[in-house]
Amino acid sequence: MYKVVLSLVLLIFSTLSFADHHSLSLEARQPRTELELTSITLGGDVTTINAEAQMGVYGRVYMTFILSRNDAGTGGTYTFEGRGYVDEETVFSGTGVGVWNRVADGSNFVMEQLINISDGTINFDRIVMDPLNRTATLDVYAVK
C-alpha cells in the first residue's frame, strides 16, 4: 500500500517538475534541525532507524524510519512514523513515505519524504543521514 501511495506521489511531483508552465516552490516550515540517531537495527530485508530531536514547531520529536533497499543496495523506499510532544497537552503524530539514496562519495544517504501530520498539515522533508556519527540534518518544507 505504501509503495502505491509513494508511486502516485512521486508521479505527481515529477509531473509538476517537468511541466514548463508549473513551478513548485516550497517554504521552510522551521529552521534546519539536527537529529540524533538513537538506534539502527539491521535486517536482511529492512533496516530500522530511530532518531530524536528538539524541533521548533513540533517540540521533542521521536521518529522511526523503516527502510527497504533496492537490488543494488544503493537506495530504496521507506515508511515513517513520528510523534512530537510540545507540552503536556499538545502532541502531534505524523506518518509518511519516502525514497532514500546513498551519497556517491561516502557512507551518508539522503532521504526525501512526504509526511501527513495530525493537525492537517503536509510536509516535504529532506534528511541527510550520517550513520557513522549517529547524526542527521532535517529540513522541513510546507506543502499544505
Side-chain angles (χ1 to χ4, degrees):
M1 181 64 182
Y2 283 112
K3 289 184 180 183
V4 172
V5 171
L6 177 62
S7 297
L8 290 173
V9 168
L10 292 176
L11 178 64
I12 290 168
F13 273 104
S14 66
T15 303
L16 289 175
S17 67
F18 290 118
D20 289 335
H21 61 283
H22 290 99
S23 66
L24 179 64
S25 60
L26 299 174
E27 193 172 309
R29 190 172 298 280
Q30 64 183 35
R32 175 173 283 172
T33 300
E34 300 292 325
L35 305 180
E36 176 189 355
L37 307 184
T38 57
S39 70
I40 300 174
T41 305
L42 303 174
D45 295 326
V46 298
T47 296
T48 302
I49 300 173
N50 292 296
E52 65 180 75
Q54 184 67 40
M55 295 176 68
V57 175
Y58 302 109
R60 172 55 75 188
V61 177
Y62 301 93
M63 299 162 254
T64 299
F65 306 91
I66 301 174
L67 287 73
S68 299
R69 61 182 172 83
N70 60 21
D71 291 337
T74 59
T77 60
Y78 68 95
T79 59
F80 167 85
E81 288 287 331
R83 301 293 177 274
Y85 298 89
V86 178
D87 55 40
E88 292 83 14
E89 299 176 10
T90 310
V91 177
F92 292 98
S93 63
T95 58
V97 295
V99 294
W100 67 274
N101 291 288
R102 288 200 185 284
V103 176
D105 60 348
S107 62
N108 293 358
F109 56 97
V110 175
M111 304 169 68
E112 294 169 325
Q113 64 187 5
L114 280 175
I115 298 180
N116 186 19
I117 308 294
S118 59
D119 67 352
T121 60
I122 298 172
N123 292 337
F124 172 76
D125 293 354
R126 185 168 197 276
I127 304 164
V128 179
M129 292 267 184
D130 180 358
L132 181 62
N133 294 302
R134 299 177 62 104
T135 61
T137 58
L138 167 63
D139 294 302
V140 179
Y141 301 94
V143 175
K144 175 184 168 198

